[in-house]
């Protein structure tokens, strides 16, 4: 059974950093884990994704500021977020799906992900 649990959110001041964690269980050796966020009144936004093999995808808006990684077993996926601004305030979610045979990397299209965690709140104050 697939299960995703996020942690690591919190309140920080502008310029601060956080390390978000996503504990992912129940996946076989071909899977994608993505990080998304949703602010009140806004659409869900894809941020980054990683395959079990370590291939990464980033949204242009976060390249150079956010880093996705995973532990050796791929059971925990991290999202390091740096140089935070109030515009980064949102609920951050991790989500998972199978990596299809024809795919070489993971997308950050939220509609393609089937399993979602409960989210972890990030609040950035100025």
């Amino acid at each position: 059974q697939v299960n995703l649990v996020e942690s690591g959110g919190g309140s920080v001041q502008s310029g601060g950093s956080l390390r978000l964690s996503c504990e992912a269980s129940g996946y076989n050796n071909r899977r994608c884990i993505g990080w998304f966020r949703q602010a009140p009144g806004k659409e869900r936004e894809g941020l980054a994704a990683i395959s079990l093999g370590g291939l990464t995808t980033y949204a242009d808006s976060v390249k150079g500021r956010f880093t996705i990684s995973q532990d050796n077993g791929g059971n925990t996926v991290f999202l390091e977020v740096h140089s935070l601004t109030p515009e980064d305030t949102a609920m951050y979610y991790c989500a998972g799906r199978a990596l299809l045979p024809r795919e070489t990397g993971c997308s950050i299209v939220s509609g393609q992900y089937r399993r979602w965690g409960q989210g972890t709140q990030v609040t950035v104050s100025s």
Side-chain angles (χ1 to χ4, degrees):
Q1 182 174 351
V2 171
N3 194 40
L4 298 159
V5 180
E6 303 96 333
S7 61
S11 297
V12 297
Q13 292 190 327
S14 287
S17 299
L18 286 171
R19 190 191 200 200
L20 308 182
S21 297
C22 172
E23 293 186 28
S25 60
Y27 283 103
N28 61 20
N29 62 350
R30 286 184 62 83
R31 66 97 177 103
C32 294
I33 299 294
W35 279 98
F36 301 81
R37 68 184 178 187
Q38 189 165 20
K42 294 188 177 181
E43 293 187 355
R44 188 165 292 182
E45 176 186 11
L47 303 173
I50 189 167
S51 69
L52 190 61
L55 293 175
T56 59
T57 305
Y58 290 94
D60 288 342
S61 60
V62 303
K63 280 181 182 177
R65 203 160 62 90
F66 290 9
T67 302
I68 192 169
S69 62
Q70 60 194 357
D71 65 6
N72 285 339
N75 295 313
T76 303
V77 174
F78 306 100
L79 185 69
E80 295 183 37
V81 295
H82 301 284
S83 303
L84 289 165
T85 72
E87 287 68 37
D88 293 311
T89 295
M91 186 71 80
Y92 284 67
Y93 300 90
C94 67
R97 66 172 177 85
L99 179 66
L100 300 177
R102 65 180 181 273
E103 293 183 300
T104 57
C106 299
S107 68
I108 49 173
V109 177
S110 61
Q112 295 181 355
Y113 285 78
R114 295 291 177 261
R115 301 287 186 174
W116 293 80
Q118 82 288 350
T120 186
Q121 177 68 37
V122 172
T123 302
V124 185
S125 58
S126 58

